[in-house]
Each structure stands twice: as C-alpha cells, then as structure tokens.
Amino acid sequence: MGITMKQNESKILIFGGTGYIGSHMVKASIKLGHPTYVFTRPDSDKKVLLDEFQSMGAIIIKGRLDEHDKLVEALREVDVVISALAYPQVLDQLNILEAIKIAGNIKRFLPSDFGVEEDRVSALPPFEAFLDKKRRIRRAIEEAKIPYSFISANCYGSYFINYLLNPSHSNKQDITVYGSGEAKAVLNYEQDIGIYTIKVATDPRTRNRIVVFRPPGNAVSQLELISLWEKKTGKIFKKTHISEEEIVTLSQTLPDPQNIPVSILHSVFVKGATADFEIGGDDVEASSLYPDLKFSTVDEQLDVFLKNPPKPASAAFE
C-alpha cells in the first residue's frame, strides 16, 4: 500500500501538454491520480483544450521557455518534469535543464524523445540532424547528473495509420507503400503512450534508463497492415510502391524542413528502425515492466478506425 501512495504523490509538470502526444500525457497523469501541471504560453491558441485540462483538475501555468525565473518557480512546485515539446522547440529544453539545475528538487526529467531510439539508429541526413538535436539534450542531461528516463515510444499508432492507410477517405482505392513494404514498424496507440509514459516517469526501476515501447504484438509491416485493413473493410487496395531510391532522392532535393518527414518514412518504413535492434544492456522494454497493463494491439487500433476514426494530424517541423 505504501508504494502506491508514495507514487501517487508525484507532482508532474508537463511542457508541450497541448501538443499532439503531450495532451495524452496530461490526461494520463490526471487519470493516474497525479497532481498535474501544464506549462503553456500566455498566448496559446489551445484555449478549449486548456479549459478541458482545467476541468479535469490540471493546474495551468502560463509562461515562456525563456523566462528563467518563471521556470524555476514552476519546477519548485513539482517532482517530475516531462517535456513533449515539438521538434522546433527541442533545443529550448536547455532552458528547462538550466532551471532544473537551479531548482534542485526534480526527481526525474523526461525530455522530448518519444520517437525512434535516437542512440540506436542512424538515418538519412535530414532526420539525422533532427535526431542530433535530441541527442544533444540527452547528453546535456547526463552531464548535469539530473535523474532521467529516456523514452522511445516508436510510432504513434493513429497518426501513422491515418498517414499510411488514409482511412478517412473512404473512396480511396490505392495506398502508397514505401520501399518493399516488408520492413516492420512498431505502432503504439497514443493513449497507451500517455499512460506508460506516466508510469515510467514515477517508477524507481526506470531511473537513468532508456525505456523502449516495443510490445511484441505491435511490430507490423506496411503490407501486413494493409492486409489487416482489407480484411476488416472487405476492400482490396491497389498498392503503389515508392522505391527506396526515390525516397532517398526526395530527402536530398526537398527543401528543409520538408525533407525531414520523407527521411523519417525511410528510417521507419524502409529500414525498419523501430524494430530492428536488440533491446539490451541496461535498456528495458516497457510492457515487461507492467504486467497489469496492456498495449492495444495493431488489430485493436484498426478497430478504433472502423468505429470512431481519430482525425488525421500533422507534425510540426518548423
């Protein structure tokens, strides 16, 4: 009993909480009984979402990432810091890190990773430059000796099911396949990513470790995904392959930052970067830590699209 009480007392501050994946973390933190704080810009246009968070019990702190004293003050209220800031703000996390050093009370910092495991993959130059910024933050946290958990959540399931299958266009007959379509990718449901992230953030076993979200049932190839979707919808889709060469060429010819998404597709769906390395050493796979929790399988995620399809989203690269 003592442990659950103690864990539930962790106060959690979330940066980027109104963003695509951050909003799932805020809701999960509240659901799991943590006093939950959301740091947001004073001029945020996400008023409806912030009102929803407040009605659920979250405390909204308004401030900017360059307001050092405001950051320190916010950090002194909490135990755990989770950053889900979008890519353009990745290096702004150095401001959060400086404030954590001054505050001196933070028991765990989770920087904005939540994608491929950046210390275990190499990618085409535009995606590599993207990952380098994230690696810089990791190294700075280690150097500062701030207790951390680094999370690789792999692919956001609904995001990529929308991207790959276009289920909202019910009259669409053809599906684009990147490369051969045989490489496996790990697709995790966004709500699960939220819950597991909060669990990891408050778990003594995950301190100073890399945690990979790779449940055994969630690695799927594009061709397997299409075949599952065909069975569920009773449709047959025409597959149009874009070759690896074409994707590499696009990564070299598209302007920055449009060259980033195509490089991510190459890593994840042509090279299989989320599924092709052994999780070893001190790294740990999340589903093994929480036998009482279950990740939604890819099959279950597709069922959500049959009943109540999540809206397509777009990632911010600039």
Side-chain angles (χ1 to χ4, degrees):
M1 181 65 198
I3 285 185
T4 36
M5 278 301 295
K6 199 161 155 240
Q7 282 204 342
N8 280 347
E9 283 169 7
S10 287
K11 295 178 179 172
I12 299 180
L13 172 62
I14 299 174
F15 290 89
T18 60
Y20 181 72
I21 204 67
S23 61
H24 291 285
M25 293 172 188
V26 173
K27 289 174 181 175
S29 178
I30 296 166
K31 188 176 171 185
L32 292 172
H34 295 281
T36 304
Y37 298 71
V38 179
F39 192 94
T40 182
R41 291 192 311 272
D43 56 351
S44 169
D45 55 4
K46 303 278 179 76
K47 188 174 167 357
V48 175
L49 187 56
L50 288 166
D51 287 347
E52 185 189 345
F53 290 161
Q54 254 183 315
S55 69
M56 293 170 76
I59 294 157
I60 309 299
I61 299 176
K62 298 196 170 179
R64 298 184 186 283
L65 292 170
D66 56 4
E67 293 183 288
H68 178 74
D69 295 344
K70 178 63 79 75
L71 286 176
V72 172
E73 188 188 337
L75 292 165
R76 288 200 165 132
E77 294 289 321
V78 301
D79 309 298
V80 171
V81 178
I82 299 173
S83 168
L85 292 169
Y87 169 67
Q89 294 172 289
V90 162
L91 292 180
D92 292 340
Q93 293 177 110
L94 293 169
N95 298 351
I96 299 171
L97 185 57
E98 285 310 308
I100 287 175
K101 290 183 201 171
I102 302 294
N105 60 303
I106 295 302
K107 299 186 179 70
R108 193 79 58 91
F109 181 29
L110 279 63
S112 186
D113 290 330
F114 308 115
V116 304
E117 179 32 56
E118 62 245 36
D119 286 329
R120 302 290 292 274
V121 306
S122 57
L124 294 176
F127 189 28
E128 193 63 35
F130 168 110
L131 294 175
D132 262 341
K133 289 187 177 176
K134 296 197 166 202
R135 292 181 191 120
R136 259 185 71 188
I137 299 298
R138 281 189 175 187
R139 302 296 82 86
I141 293 168
E142 290 164 347
E143 203 178 308
K145 300 203 167 17
I146 303 295
Y148 64 81
S149 298
F150 296 152
I151 290 182
S152 166
N154 291 311
C155 301
Y156 303 159
S158 298
Y159 181 96
F160 277 106
I161 288 169
N162 261 320
Y163 191 93
L164 295 170
L165 300 178
N166 278 306
S168 55
H169 300 113
S170 51
N171 52 0
K172 207 169 156 50
Q173 301 302 312
D174 58 320
I175 288 179
T176 303
V177 178
Y178 301 94
S180 70
E182 284 160 16
K184 300 243 184 210
V186 179
L187 266 59
N188 294 320
Y189 192 41
E190 286 82 345
Q191 286 175 11
D192 297 341
I193 291 174
I195 293 284
Y196 278 84
T197 295
I198 302 301
K199 284 285 203 185
V200 166
T202 53
D203 187 336
R205 297 171 298 174
T206 56
R207 187 175 186 261
N208 295 348
R209 289 177 85 177
I210 291 173
V211 184
V212 182
F213 293 4
R214 195 202 283 173
N218 289 29
V220 64
S221 73
Q222 292 173 84
L223 297 179
E224 288 165 343
L225 188 68
I226 293 165
S227 157
L228 275 170
W229 189 237
E230 288 179 333
K231 287 196 186 82
K232 287 187 186 294
T233 56
K235 293 178 182 171
I236 301 292
F237 294 96
K238 178 175 172 286
K239 301 179 208 38
T240 308
H241 288 257
I242 299 186
S243 72
E244 179 172 8
E245 294 71 34
E246 288 175 82
I247 295 170
V248 171
T249 302
L250 281 171
S251 81
Q252 294 161 341
T253 53
L254 284 170
D256 186 61
Q258 285 96 319
N259 54 9
I260 299 173
V262 70
S263 305
I264 293 174
L265 292 172
H266 178 266
S267 262
V268 174
F269 296 107
V270 179
K271 290 298 190 205
T274 59
D276 72 345
F277 64 87
E278 288 296 313
I279 299 171
D282 206 26
D283 304 351
V284 61
E285 198 285 307
S287 59
S288 65
L289 289 171
Y290 310 105
D292 55 322
L293 282 180
K294 201 174 117 344
F295 276 98
S296 311
T297 62
V298 170
D299 197 68
E300 289 164 345
Q301 293 178 60
L302 286 173
D303 285 340
V304 172
F305 276 87
L306 284 179
K307 299 188 192 87
N308 186 14
K311 285 197 268 308
S314 62
F317 294 106
E318 55 187 333

